[in-house]
Amino acid sequence: MSNQFSGVGNLGQAPVLRTVQVDGEDRSVADLRVYFDRSVPQDDGSFEDEGGFWLSVSVWGARAESAVKVLRKGARIQVDGQLREESWEDAEGAEHRELRLTASRIGIDPVCIESITYRPRTGAPTEMPSDPGEE
């Protein structure tokens, strides 16, 4: 049985970036809260909202750092990744469980993007091949 998940939803808040120690190394992780709606197509071509659910999402490494720079509350995104259950005890000793998605890919709905800043490429530029018809 696979634990792969793919869904489209909206960010409930801006991503939060943290640094954690993993095997003695500092790693970046961004925490997201995403609401995945469940719209069901109707016979007349419209869609009816049948509720949805909130899911906590973790994004690691360079993707985490980019997510914090680009994503804003309300952004419509597609998230692919693996589901896992986390459990912990709070300060009062009560046990908690949460389903969390570790994202392997995040796609942004272009309508939600206000601006994009491109970073310069590193390394030597590549030349475009010349057109054989120009000789």
Side-chain angles (χ1 to χ4, degrees):
M1 178 178 222
S2 175
N3 68 347
Q4 293 295 311
F5 176 87
S6 181
V8 177
N10 292 78
L11 283 175
Q13 62 190 37
V16 177
L17 186 66
R18 307 181 281 126
T19 302
V20 296
Q21 286 267 325
V22 178
D23 296 329
E25 250 181 71
D26 284 344
R27 300 220 18 226
S28 299
V29 59
D31 296 316
L32 314 173
R33 279 296 278 170
V34 182
Y35 181 77
F36 294 94
D37 47 6
R38 296 187 333 164
S39 298
V40 177
Q42 304 299 305
D43 292 337
D44 64 359
S46 66
F47 288 86
E48 185 174 318
D49 184 18
E50 292 205 357
F53 59 94
W54 287 98
L55 189 59
S56 295
V57 179
S58 296
V59 185
W60 291 83
R63 281 187 179 90
E65 294 166 11
S66 294
V68 170
K69 291 177 187 174
V70 175
L71 298 178
R72 300 290 178 260
K73 178 181 177 176
R76 186 92 173 149
I77 61 174
Q78 176 171 350
V79 184
D80 301 326
Q82 293 185 332
L83 291 169
R84 61 185 166 82
E85 184 179 38
E86 288 186 349
S87 59
W88 69 94
E89 281 188 19
D90 64 18
E92 290 81 36
E95 188 173 319
H96 299 272
R97 293 178 183 270
E98 177 184 51
L99 196 58
R100 179 172 285 274
L101 180 70
T102 301
S104 56
R105 182 179 121 17
I106 296 178
I108 306 169
D109 187 336
V111 171
C112 299
I113 299 173
E114 292 179 18
S115 68
I116 296 177
T117 304
Y118 293 96
R119 65 177 182 230
R121 291 182 186 227
T122 56
T126 57
E127 284 190 31
M128 295 291 291
S130 61
D131 185 356
E134 292 180 0
E135 295 178 359

